[in-house]
Amino acid sequence: MNEQININSCPVPQTEYDRILMAHGGGGKFSKNLLEQYIYPLFDNEILSQKHDSAIFEISNTKFAFTTDSFVVNPIYFPGGDIGKLAVYGTVNDLSVAGAKPVFISLSFIIEEGFPIEDFKKILLSIKQATEIADVKIITGDTKVVEKGSCDKIFINTTGIGIIENQIEINPSKCKAGDKIILSGSIGEHGISILVSRNNFELETNIESDTAPLNSLVEKIINVSKNIHMMRDPTRGGLSSCLNEIAQSAKVGMLIYEDKIRIREDVKSICELLGLDPLYVANEGKLVVIVDSKDADLVLNTMRQHPLGKDSQIIGELIEDQFNLVYMKTIIGTTRIVDMISGEQLPRIC
Amino acid sequence: MKFIDEYRNADDSKRIVDKIKNILRHNWYIMEICGGQTHTILKYRLEEILPEKITLLHGPGCPVCVTSVEFIDKAIQLSFHKDVILTSYGDMLRVPGTKYSLLYSKSIGANVKTIYSPIDALKLAKDYPDKKIIFFAIGFETTAPATASSIIQARKMGLKNFFVLCAHVLVPPAIEILLKSQLTKIDGIIAAGHVCTVMGFKEYIPIAKKYKVPIVVTGFEPNDLLLGIFMTVKQLEEGRYDVENQYKRAVREEGNMSAKKIMFDVFEVVDRKWRGIGFINNSGLKIKKEFEDMDAEKVFSLNTQIDEIDTECIAGLILQGIKKPVDCLNFARKCTPENPLGAPMVSSEGSCNAYYKFGSVKINN
Ligand code: SF4
């Protein structure tokens, strides 16, 4: 064969997607594009344009938060939780980070024909337990069954309503340079526990999902500080997507410190092994708080007294930056950008 | 994780950089040939702390980027065959062939699955006896032994529904062609730790002598790379062209004998086309005749006509270290990870992707 060196040519056409790919559900840039290109412009109104995890509105002088979410996790049982628990806590958390007290939720199932009643009962019981722990009531719901193969075992949708009783305004526009970023604990456990149980890696780990309701933790900090500017739970897309979203909607930059972000040793090892970045791995029971620097220690100490916040750390601060980017001081002292994930995170090859 | 954290310590980094500064007299161009190392260099922004006299060049070390369009097109065709489940590693599914990627073919009905190792493909073959499982095997000497062992295991298990589309490539012939080329200026080479874990580094010795370049086998942590760079610079300043091993904790001179044996039991060396570079003699692995009942190219009918399209992507120059991603006019403008114009932006081991992800400057359109 003729040995030759090309100096050009990487024949790849520009890839415009005319179909939905898995990446569109990954919580990163693809998901964002879907919202910004197709959904927001079409349904534009003053509440939707808040782009919060929960919509916030007022009826007869009472402020409400309203949110909805669907759960399609595979496998449906995983160490530390199951799809039922996730469906309740996910919605409870979306309401909590808006500063609301979650009160009512709805519960809808799409079930694949042939799904064992035994499993259905198990999931219902887990949901019941989760609603008791989170102190919310299920007040309406729906059940649909579809033909075998039309869905994967069971999908759950939950919608939630919460009441905002306090006077704090949690809003990206309140964020300003100098505010501190507090993270309630270590990252990556949920995503890695799902990955390990989905793929049956022959790895000995006891990593459990961190799935948990954040309402009582949020209540505690709202009670001690009026200067909380923003809260988020870093779920799909991980900590990095969550921080990038805040930075962009608040029009600020961020500087975070790699050595302040806790990652369990076993989570770190599995990420190393598979070439995954824990910053992009999903969490289900963690809280990011942006707080005025004058209240940062107070909020931090309050969080540390709660079981879900005992490992809280100030991981960085907001800075002025015209690009609204998230920067990280690495453990060797250099600075790099932490970008939003593009598509799904896939394991490396070499 | 003590093992790894030791190589990520800021005081050590500073110490090594100071050592480099102390011995550095001339300008040197050093190339690393591993996507994982490119990633570490960008992720930890090593260039920020290295003296300006050192220029790091990123070589053709991303296994996804160098896999030729023809192979991707073949994989896409295979994914539409009746009863086939086409499996491969993550990023490979994202890179488009002449028309689209495997992920896209999945969205229009092909049966495509991401796997973490060929063992997963073997398991699928066992669990779905009425399906034909094809493993699209790509990558360097690092992943080739695992592919070879899956073929041997499939034979032992008597599986009749396991096939491999083999696109493996070998690193040393690619290094040689870059050193021969007048276009790339390379003074020293950082050789990839993982590849050498399997192959050892004997075959680099004649290359270092012939082309008068020091070659240092190096690991993947930031301080591994800084040390590897120090060892290369030291040789260059002293006028030596040896092969040295920074990654002693994982690499032995002779490599991993059993992995090598299994590789050459199953594969033979052939000429292979690299994406963006062209044909390189003796740089690919092909399934031997005794195992051709598992060779997807032999078993399935394939139409391999492709129309090469010219694009604005200068991946060929990037993969050969002639240009850096930021020198590409499309970088971060027309070409982003969501809308990639070339493989080095698609693959998370590609250098354009690493520059985009970790770079300190973003160009706003
Ligand atoms: S930036 Fe994009 S267009 Fe330019 S070389 Fe890299 S992949 Fe190709």
Side-chain angles (χ1 to χ4, degrees):
Chain A
M1 216 145 290
N2 222 352
E3 199 160 43
Q4 58 174 69
I5 256 206
N6 286 353
I7 53 157
N8 215 324
S9 101
C10 174
V12 173
Q14 186 148 3
T15 344
E16 288 286 351
Y17 297 102
D18 58 356
R19 285 172 195 267
I20 299 285
L21 305 182
M22 289 303 289
H24 286 112
K29 286 190 198 165
F30 278 85
S31 309
K32 195 166 162 258
N33 285 351
L34 216 55
L35 287 172
E36 286 180 352
Q37 265 182 28
Y38 304 107
I39 298 179
Y40 289 146
L42 194 63
F43 302 109
D44 186 36
N45 63 56
E46 66 292 351
I47 300 177
L48 186 67
S49 65
Q50 298 165 350
K51 297 181 187 171
H52 269 321
D53 281 351
S54 292
I56 299 184
F57 55 88
E58 227 176 275
I59 301 176
S60 316
N61 293 328
T62 307
K63 239 181 172 183
F64 291 98
F66 181 49
T67 190
T68 187
D69 211 340
S70 296
F71 298 83
V72 295
V73 62
N74 166 25
I76 54 176
Y77 306 110
F78 46 85
D82 58 64
I83 189 169
K85 230 171 156 182
L86 216 56
V88 175
Y89 294 159
T91 290
V92 163
N93 292 350
D94 281 349
L95 295 171
S96 305
V97 295
K101 177 179 158 35
V103 270
F104 297 134
I105 61 174
S106 73
L107 179 65
S108 290
F109 294 102
I110 295 175
I111 313 170
E112 187 183 20
E113 90 179 297
F115 188 68
I117 291 281
E118 223 14 72
D119 283 314
F120 188 54
K121 268 170 40 193
K122 223 164 128 183
I123 289 168
L124 286 176
L125 281 178
S126 167
I127 291 175
K128 182 170 157 52
Q129 202 187 27
T131 54
E132 283 164 8
I133 293 174
D135 193 19
V136 286
K137 283 199 176 69
I138 291 171
I139 54 164
T140 182
D142 179 46
T143 314
K144 295 275 185 302
V145 177
V146 294
E147 271 179 43
K148 188 140 194 88
S150 302
C151 91
D152 186 10
K153 297 186 194 77
I154 186 166
F155 296 162
I156 304 181
N157 171 277
T158 48
T159 296
I161 294 183
I163 300 175
I164 301 178
E165 287 163 334
N166 49 67
Q167 294 309 310
I168 310 174
E169 198 195 332
I170 291 169
N171 194 313
S173 66
K174 307 269 288 187
C175 296
K176 58 177 190 339
D179 287 359
K180 298 288 179 202
I181 309 165
I182 307 178
L183 171 64
S184 67
S186 53
I187 56 167
E189 284 126 61
H190 176 72
I192 295 297
S193 89
I194 296 274
L195 191 75
V196 170
S197 47
R198 185 185 300 162
N199 290 288
N200 271 323
F201 297 123
E202 274 134 31
L203 294 169
E204 275 184 37
T205 72
N206 49 4
I207 302 171
E208 292 197 341
S209 164
D210 58 348
T211 177
L214 295 168
N215 44 346
S216 70
L217 175 62
V218 167
E219 201 182 308
K220 286 237 149 46
I221 58 174
I222 287 181
N223 283 339
V224 299
S225 168
K226 301 266 168 287
N227 295 305
I228 290 163
H229 295 157
M230 188 70 194
M231 287 185 284
R232 265 276 159 93
D233 56 332
T235 53
R236 278 177 323 168
L239 180 64
S240 68
S241 297
C242 165
L243 295 179
N244 271 286
E245 271 169 29
I246 299 177
Q248 279 164 27
S249 55
K251 302 203 166 40
V252 290
M254 287 186 183
L255 179 65
I256 56 171
Y257 298 91
E258 189 170 16
D259 61 352
K260 295 282 185 254
I261 298 170
R262 279 180 197 249
I263 306 164
R264 277 171 49 146
E265 289 298 306
D266 43 8
V267 170
K268 226 197 244 178
S269 309
I270 293 183
C271 284
E272 281 298 327
L273 201 73
L274 300 174
L276 302 176
D277 187 338
L279 290 176
Y280 297 104
V281 177
N283 312 278
E284 283 296 341
K286 292 295 166 354
L287 182 67
V288 169
V289 183
I290 311 287
V291 58
D292 198 300
S293 62
K294 63 174 186 261
D295 279 5
D297 287 334
L298 177 66
V299 171
L300 178 70
N301 291 329
T302 311
M303 286 173 75
R304 284 184 175 164
Q305 281 157 29
H306 190 283
L308 290 178
K310 62 179 191 331
D311 293 330
S312 295
Q313 285 275 2
I314 295 178
I315 59 162
E317 57 261 328
L318 305 193
I319 54 170
E320 280 183 35
D321 174 52
Q322 54 162 325
F323 302 109
N324 308 146
L325 290 172
V326 179
Y327 302 87
M328 178 191 257
K329 245 298 159 260
T330 71
I331 33 183
I332 67 161
T334 50
T335 309
R336 69 148 158 120
I337 286 175
V338 176
D339 200 8
M340 200 172 209
I341 191 168
S342 157
E344 294 169 281
Q345 206 179 190
L346 298 169
R348 75 148 167 253
I349 295 155
C350 86
Chain B
M1 287 281 281
K2 177 131 195 318
F3 212 44
I4 285 174
D5 290 339
E6 272 176 27
Y7 294 89
R8 291 182 178 173
N9 173 306
D11 294 337
D12 287 345
S13 318
K14 204 180 157 303
R15 208 173 36 79
I16 305 165
V17 172
D18 285 344
K19 276 169 72 175
I20 295 175
K21 285 181 182 155
N22 282 338
I23 56 166
L24 188 66
R25 302 280 170 273
H26 305 89
N27 289 320
W28 300 115
Y29 291 82
I30 301 173
M31 177 181 270
E32 88 283 346
I33 320 229
C34 162
Q37 290 174 334
T38 309
H39 208 76
T40 305
I41 291 170
L42 271 303
K43 186 167 174 182
Y44 290 95
R45 308 271 328 144
L46 296 187
E47 282 165 311
E48 207 177 284
I49 49 175
L50 282 168
E52 267 177 30
K53 282 190 168 144
I54 296 174
T55 308
L56 297 179
L57 307 172
H58 318 299
C62 160
V64 171
C65 304
V66 302
T67 304
S68 72
V69 181
E70 285 91 335
F71 263 117
I72 300 175
D73 279 358
K74 282 179 193 170
I76 290 172
Q77 275 183 44
L78 287 170
S79 74
F80 285 105
H81 275 243
K82 196 169 169 280
D83 295 330
V84 157
I85 302 178
L86 194 287
T87 63
S88 196
Y89 301 116
D91 272 356
M92 198 60 240
L93 307 185
R94 272 206 273 244
V95 183
T98 38
K99 289 202 184 68
Y100 48 74
S101 66
L102 280 160
L103 274 189
Y104 187 86
S105 62
K106 181 179 174 195
S107 78
I108 55 174
N111 205 344
V112 178
K113 257 189 167 1
T114 314
I115 52 167
Y116 291 81
S117 94
I119 309 287
D120 301 339
L122 273 183
K123 270 195 201 137
L124 280 173
K126 216 175 111 219
D127 295 347
Y128 298 94
D130 49 346
K131 296 269 184 215
K132 296 170 187 137
I133 313 301
I134 303 177
F135 172 50
F136 181 20
I138 64 137
F140 304 108
E141 292 90 328
T142 344
T143 46
T147 308
S149 103
S150 73
I151 289 178
I152 290 191
Q153 276 200 43
R155 174 67 48 89
K156 275 195 195 140
M157 291 158 74
L159 291 174
K160 295 274 174 277
N161 63 335
F162 177 78
F163 308 93
V164 172
L165 176 64
C166 180
H168 284 296
V169 285
L170 299 168
V171 170
I175 294 188
E176 263 206 89
I177 200 168
L178 293 183
L179 290 173
K180 247 189 252 172
S181 152
Q182 300 300 310
L183 298 164
T184 318
K185 175 167 172 37
I186 304 169
D187 297 313
I189 284 182
I190 301 285
H194 286 161
V195 168
C196 297
T197 310
V198 177
M199 301 301 287
F201 50 83
K202 273 195 187 133
E203 50 185 335
Y204 292 118
I205 297 169
I207 301 180
K209 290 282 168 273
K210 183 167 169 198
Y211 298 96
K212 294 199 163 63
V213 283
I215 300 180
V216 178
V217 179
T218 304
F220 297 85
E221 296 306 320
N223 291 346
D224 281 326
L225 279 149
L226 290 174
L227 263 176
I229 292 164
F230 167 72
M231 290 164 75
T232 312
V233 169
K234 188 157 193 290
Q235 285 200 50
L236 285 167
E237 293 291 351
E238 290 171 3
R240 287 186 294 122
Y241 316 110
D242 298 323
V243 177
E244 291 179 335
N245 184 9
Q246 178 277 330
Y247 201 36
K248 287 205 177 93
R249 63 185 192 277
V251 172
R252 277 170 298 149
E253 182 167 354
E254 68 286 359
N256 179 334
M257 298 302 271
S258 54
K260 279 205 284 200
K261 179 174 181 320
I262 197 167
M263 230 170 101
F264 292 108
D265 281 349
V266 175
F267 300 127
E268 61 195 1
V269 174
V270 288
D271 300 339
R272 176 135 305 149
K273 188 172 178 188
W274 291 48
R275 185 176 196 140
I277 299 184
F279 274 104
I280 305 178
N281 289 345
N282 301 321
S283 71
L285 293 175
K286 169 176 172 283
I287 297 173
K288 279 185 177 168
K289 217 170 162 42
E290 313 141 58
F291 297 100
E292 70 183 17
D293 54 327
M294 278 183 258
D295 186 342
E297 285 188 271
K298 293 267 159 59
V299 178
F300 296 86
S301 61
L302 282 166
N303 164 17
T304 51
Q305 272 293 339
I306 73 148
D307 310 313
E308 289 255 342
I309 331 157
D310 266 337
T311 66
E312 308 151 60
C313 173
I314 56 161
L317 300 172
I318 303 283
L319 288 169
Q320 293 165 57
I322 300 167
K323 287 216 159 147
K324 293 213 171 190
V326 283
D327 301 329
C328 172
L329 289 177
N330 293 312
F331 176 78
R333 292 190 176 92
K334 260 165 100 176
C335 183
T336 63
E338 292 72 49
N339 240 327
L341 288 181
M345 185 59 94
V346 185
S347 164
S348 50
E349 280 158 63
S351 34
C352 298
N353 186 287
Y355 267 79
Y356 186 87
K357 216 150 117 205
F358 306 124
S360 57
V361 193
K362 284 270 151 93
I363 303 157
N364 275 3
N365 228 343

